[in-house]
Amino acid sequence: MRSKVIVILAVVCLVAVGVYAALLNEGQPLPERYIQHEKAQHIEDLSAEDQAAASSTSTDPETFASHLPAISIDTGGQEIPGGPIYDENGKYLADENSVMIPSLAPDGSETIAANVKVFDNGQGANRLSNQADLESDCRIRIRGNSSRRYDKKNYLLTLVKEDGTDNDQELLGMDKCETWVLHGPGIDKSLIRNYLAYNIAGQYMDKFVPEIRFFELFIDGQYKGLYAAVESIKVEEGRLQVNPTDENTVATSYVVSIDEKSQSATTLSTFLNYTLRVGTYLDVVYPNEELLTEERREWINNDISAWEKSLFSYDYDTSDYGYWTTLDVSSFVDMYILNEFAINDDFGAYSTYLYKDLRGKVTLGPPWDYDNTFDNYQLETPVDEFYIVERAWYYMLFKDEEFCERTISRYRSLRQGVLSEDYLNTFIDETIDYLDAAIDRNWVVWGYTFQEDNHLKPEERQPASFEEAISDLKSFIHDRGAWLDQYIENLRQYSHESAVKKFNH
């Protein structure tokens, strides 16, 4: 009898675990993800000699040692293009839309040729005197929007062969590709917001979320600090996977981003743009410019406008024309929760991606650019508000009761797992523990920004130290989570009859 009870209890436990897993990821198995601080070597894994060297705050390339990977880029003394151009008054040049005009290489190119070496042996301290684990020619430029003006730059790195063609290579254990983003957390004084956001999202979203790895960067022998290598958003094996463009047809899979203030050959003016519901343009990321004929660009423009118009129509929630027939609803729910929780004020206006496989539905994502989140936006974002409910497509989605209920249920489930305060705080603590002396070396170079950086307004929001930056991040997570826990059901007000009666009748 006793053994029978044990068996029954065991079955009940297994069922409970299965139900919890289904709730956590809406029936999908959690995607496998390599999280660097959980898998990579820590400083205590090194020999005593290597530990002593890697614990030093020396940034001299001759004596530098780290348990983290290191990347060294040699430009031959060239200035890397893509930064701001300043006039005699110290004001950067901009176009009629106040968009910064980036500098170019002397030959007019956006990039320069350079050489890159990657040191990532995984079995001891990484030194620039070691044999490189990867060496390649490359092209490099400064990337970003407003971040181009910051002292600590972000770079776009493209690996190339001697003949200039793409050189697909693994980088820091990530899938082969030729194009990589080298993210320098400058305005993010915690150093870890992007690392936190991508890895949290990657544990509950069943779509592509960029992989990210910390490393320390040298350019022309000068230490540039703690950086993160991030997978760029490309249609390629191991990244975004959609059916490729057929040169013989106009219809195509596509990837677009909301980011552009001015029109160009790759921008779109869709329904939400010309009805003034969004103030920035959609920019075609895929197909690339070589495949993006004017006819194909117009087809993408019309396709997006068609489902946007349908979403904003009277029958947006009917069985024949409901938004779920066109949109991958789970991606819209998951992206909403991430961006609402972190208060990503740029979401829906900048750095926002969506894509459509020609044989599939419109998918929102991948997530991108979380430097300004978790209360690091230039203007204060109080924790006691909903921010994303009326952005772009969500204005209509939240008019539907089922979408509201699905979002509320998903949020509640995630708060029991990867969005719980305990999990997030542990994740932060373990990441800091992993980075160890690399944090101190970073502030040897960039410590002055605690006093000179006026990114946050009012100025008293600006952290005075790394410890204060981490404390601010944790405080925000606590306060934001507590408010959403109490008021998440209030999302129902946006689908209440009184809110939509006028619209529908």
Side-chain angles (χ1 to χ4, degrees):
M1 182 67 179
R2 183 180 178 185
S3 60
K4 189 174 183 179
V5 170
I6 292 173
V7 170
I8 292 172
L9 287 174
V11 170
V12 170
C13 288
L14 286 172
V15 171
V17 169
V19 170
Y20 173 74
L23 287 173
L24 187 62
N25 211 49
E26 298 198 332
Q28 299 292 329
L30 287 173
E32 293 183 10
R33 187 173 181 87
Y34 181 96
I35 299 177
Q36 187 180 16
H37 73 264
E38 295 180 353
K39 303 291 186 180
Q41 68 174 3
H42 286 232
I43 198 166
E44 58 265 25
D45 298 328
L46 306 179
S47 68
E49 180 182 353
D50 278 355
Q51 280 191 45
S55 297
S56 168
T57 57
S58 171
T59 60
D60 185 332
E62 298 295 325
T63 58
F64 169 84
S66 178
H67 66 292
L68 296 184
I71 294 180
S72 178
I73 297 171
D74 182 5
T75 73
Q78 301 176 83
E79 181 178 347
I80 300 176
I85 305 170
Y86 294 99
D87 62 22
E88 63 276 8
N89 299 315
K91 185 178 180 180
Y92 65 86
L93 302 184
D95 62 19
E96 66 277 6
N97 295 298
S98 299
V99 177
M100 191 203 76
I101 299 173
S103 64
L104 299 174
D107 64 357
S109 302
E110 293 183 351
T111 64
I112 58 168
N115 176 269
V116 60
K117 294 180 179 179
V118 179
F119 304 90
D120 182 27
N121 60 48
Q123 296 180 345
N126 290 299
R127 296 175 170 85
L128 302 191
S129 58
N130 291 354
Q131 178 71 33
D133 296 280
L134 168 65
E135 182 173 2
S136 176
D137 291 336
C138 65
R139 306 288 301 187
I140 188 172
R141 67 169 173 85
I142 295 169
R143 67 167 303 279
N145 289 316
S146 59
S147 63
R148 293 175 190 255
R149 305 196 303 271
Y150 304 141
D151 289 354
K152 192 175 186 182
K153 306 297 186 186
N154 296 297
Y155 301 98
L156 186 70
L157 183 76
T158 302
L159 305 180
V160 296
K161 300 176 183 177
E162 288 186 7
D163 61 3
T165 58
D166 291 346
N167 184 19
D168 287 8
Q169 295 288 336
E170 291 184 4
L171 185 69
L172 308 184
M174 294 180 281
D175 286 341
K176 284 185 176 182
C177 192
E178 83 289 348
T179 305
W180 303 88
V181 171
L182 307 184
H183 166 64
I187 60 170
D188 173 18
K189 296 301 187 290
S190 79
L191 305 175
I192 65 173
R193 280 177 167 83
N194 271 321
Y195 181 80
L196 174 66
Y198 294 152
N199 280 316
I200 294 302
Q203 291 179 79
Y204 78 85
M205 294 184 184
D206 61 355
K207 309 296 190 296
F208 167 70
V209 177
E211 294 279 351
I212 182 170
R213 303 284 194 274
F214 284 115
F215 68 96
E216 294 182 79
L217 176 66
F218 285 82
I219 297 181
D220 293 333
Q222 183 178 3
Y223 181 74
K224 294 295 183 179
L226 182 67
Y227 270 69
V230 186
E231 291 181 327
S232 59
I233 296 177
K234 292 195 65 180
V235 172
E236 196 163 302
E237 185 177 354
R239 298 198 182 175
L240 271 182
Q241 308 234 353
V242 296
N243 283 287
T245 297
D246 184 341
E247 294 184 8
N248 298 314
T249 62
V250 173
T252 179
S253 303
Y254 56 79
V255 182
V256 297
S257 68
I258 304 179
D259 224 6
E260 298 296 324
K261 286 187 176 182
S262 55
Q263 286 186 290
S264 70
T266 59
T267 55
L268 310 173
S269 182
T270 64
F271 174 75
L272 289 193
N273 183 267
Y274 62 71
T275 57
L276 304 180
R277 291 188 178 274
V278 293
T280 49
Y281 293 96
L282 282 168
D283 190 60
V284 179
V285 177
Y286 179 84
N288 60 27
E289 291 188 49
E290 183 179 338
L291 293 173
L292 188 64
T293 62
E294 178 57 30
E295 292 77 16
R296 201 166 276 134
R297 189 186 71 85
E298 189 63 23
W299 184 91
I300 297 171
N301 196 93
N302 291 338
D303 187 73
I304 294 174
S305 290
W307 61 256
E308 285 182 339
K309 287 178 183 178
S310 178
L311 181 62
F312 278 77
S313 70
Y314 287 107
D315 49 10
Y316 80 104
D317 61 348
T318 61
S319 58
D320 291 335
Y321 303 104
Y323 61 85
W324 54 86
T325 64
T326 309
L327 307 184
D328 181 298
V329 180
S330 67
S331 69
F332 282 79
V333 170
D334 284 348
M335 287 290 288
Y336 171 80
I337 291 170
L338 175 65
N339 289 286
E340 188 69 84
F341 188 91
I343 307 186
N344 185 358
D345 204 78
D346 284 345
F347 184 68
Y350 300 99
S351 300
T352 304
Y353 287 83
L354 62 83
Y355 60 96
K356 178 184 176 180
D357 191 303
L358 188 58
R359 296 181 177 87
K361 295 182 179 181
V362 176
T363 301
L364 189 58
W368 190 252
D369 192 3
Y370 286 80
D371 259 12
N372 288 312
T373 61
F374 297 99
D375 197 31
N376 200 43
Y377 188 67
Q378 57 186 338
L379 302 178
E380 191 167 11
T381 50
V383 298
D384 57 348
E385 297 178 18
F386 291 119
Y387 282 83
I388 312 300
V389 288
E390 295 189 351
R391 299 288 175 88
W393 312 285
Y394 287 106
Y395 175 82
M396 287 302 298
L397 290 173
F398 275 108
K399 291 185 182 298
D400 180 52
E401 290 183 9
E402 287 192 20
F403 186 84
C404 285
E405 294 304 323
R406 186 168 177 175
T407 302
I408 293 167
S409 175
R410 182 68 160 153
Y411 171 80
R412 292 294 188 200
S413 297
L414 291 172
R415 281 290 278 173
Q416 303 303 310
V418 295
L419 276 186
S420 70
E421 186 172 347
D422 285 346
Y423 184 87
L424 293 172
N425 283 339
T426 299
F427 189 100
I428 292 168
D429 290 340
E430 290 180 350
T431 301
I432 294 168
D433 179 67
Y434 165 69
L435 294 175
D436 202 84
I439 295 171
D440 298 325
R441 285 190 290 270
N442 181 80
W443 298 125
V444 167
V445 176
W446 302 111
Y448 74 90
T449 60
F450 282 112
Q451 286 72 48
E452 297 185 13
D453 188 349
N454 295 316
H455 167 67
L456 301 180
K457 308 294 182 184
E459 287 188 19
E460 54 265 27
R461 291 177 58 223
Q462 192 72 37
S465 67
F466 174 70
E467 292 73 20
E468 187 176 330
I470 294 297
S471 177
D472 290 347
L473 174 59
K474 288 184 174 181
S475 293
F476 171 84
I477 287 171
H478 170 80
D479 295 343
R480 183 59 171 166
W483 188 84
L484 286 171
D485 288 349
Q486 184 173 357
Y487 293 104
I488 191 69
E489 274 82 7
N490 284 13
L491 285 174
R492 296 186 179 109
Q493 68 182 301
Y494 297 97
S495 63
H496 193 273
E497 183 181 359
S498 61
V500 298
K501 184 175 181 180
K502 183 177 180 179
F503 177 86
N504 284 332
H505 299 286

